[in-house]
Each structure stands twice: as C-alpha cells, then as structure tokens.
Amino acid sequence: MSRAATVIAGVAGSFAIAYAFDHLIADKKIFGGTTPKTVATNEWWEETDKKFQAWPRTAGPPVVMNPISRQNFIVKSRES
C-alpha cells in the first residue's frame, strides 16, 4: 500500500470515528440532557428575527443583521 493510500485511509477512518462519537454524544445523548427548545423549533428564531428587523437604525439604508443567512443585504418591508 502506498503512502498516499495509507494517509487517505487514515484520514477517512478518523472522520468516521469522529462522526460516530458526535452522533452518540450529540444525537443519542448518551451522557443525558435534552435539546433546547431554541434549537429544536423555529419559533425562537422567528421572534429573534422580528426583533432584529425592528432594531432602530440611525444611519444608512436598512440592512439585515445576518446577511449570510438571508442572502440579501437590503431589508424589505413585510407588506411588500
């Protein structure tokens, strides 16, 4: 087996092990705990987004607080 194949196999194996442990700890909750409501539902995000869109601005045109998730930079009114 060449060195490149050994390195690739090792990297792939480490990703598989990391994924397995992440799944066990975060999704299966083997150490207990629960998923917070703010993560499990969109209700919290929608209310937070409304608050940020109503944020008073004093200079320049209105922009969204997180343009990466919205993929636009200009805030449009909810009515239009």
Side-chain angles (χ1 to χ4, degrees), residues 56-67:
R57 295 183 52 85
T58 57
V63 296
V64 297
M65 296 300 285
N66 188 358

Side-chain angles (χ1 to χ4, degrees), residues 7-66:
V7 170
I8 291 171
V11 170
S14 66
F15 275 111
I17 291 170
Y19 174 79
F21 277 108
D22 178 63
H23 179 71
L24 285 172
I25 293 169
D27 298 335
K28 297 293 183 183
K29 306 243 183 263
I30 61 172
F31 295 119
T34 59
T35 302
K37 182 181 175 187
T38 56
V39 175
T41 66
N42 284 337
E43 179 183 347
W44 181 85
W45 166 248
E46 290 167 0
E47 290 299 319
T48 302
D49 192 44
K50 285 179 192 174
K51 181 185 107 178
F52 281 142
Q53 296 307 318
W55 196 289
R57 295 183 52 85
T58 57
V63 296
V64 297
M65 296 300 285
N66 188 358

